[in-house]
Amino acid sequence: MKPRIILYTLLVIFNLVSLYFIMELFSYDEIVGYLTTGGKKTIDARELAYLLFVTCLLNLYFLSFILMKSFFKDNI
């Protein structure tokens, strides 16, 4: 039981840190990359940020569901 609690705690911390970086990614308008041929490649960061945001929130949702299920389980 002890390793499971440590794992759940680490997952929550990792997801909260990920949310911070996702919020920072929302503030960027575009990401510019310079190619070796001298060209320039731009990427819209918002689509990636929305995908990561939804994924991170779903991770937190399912983790909270598992924790609530284990706390409210009857030990008969």
Side-chain angles (χ1 to χ4, degrees), residues 4-62:
R4 185 179 293 178
I5 294 172
I6 293 171
L7 177 66
Y8 289 160
T9 306
L10 288 174
L11 282 173
V12 168
I13 291 170
F14 177 74
N15 280 310
L16 291 177
V17 170
S18 296
L19 279 177
Y20 170 75
F21 287 114
I22 291 168
M23 290 301 151
E24 286 295 318
L25 189 60
F26 272 123
S27 67
Y28 297 135
D29 289 331
E30 64 182 17
I31 298 174
V32 177
Y34 295 100
L35 303 173
T36 57
T37 59
K40 191 167 53 167
K41 182 179 179 183
T42 60
I43 299 171
D44 183 26
R46 293 209 179 254
E47 294 172 2
L48 177 64
Y50 282 121
L51 176 68
L52 293 174
F53 182 67
V54 168
T55 304
C56 192
L57 287 180
L58 285 174
N59 284 338
L60 287 171
Y61 172 73
F62 286 119

Side-chain angles (χ1 to χ4, degrees), residues 64-76:
S64 66
F65 178 75
I66 290 170
L67 287 174
M68 284 189 275
K69 181 180 171 184
S70 67
F71 284 141
F72 294 116
K73 184 171 65 170
D74 290 335
N75 294 328
I76 298 175

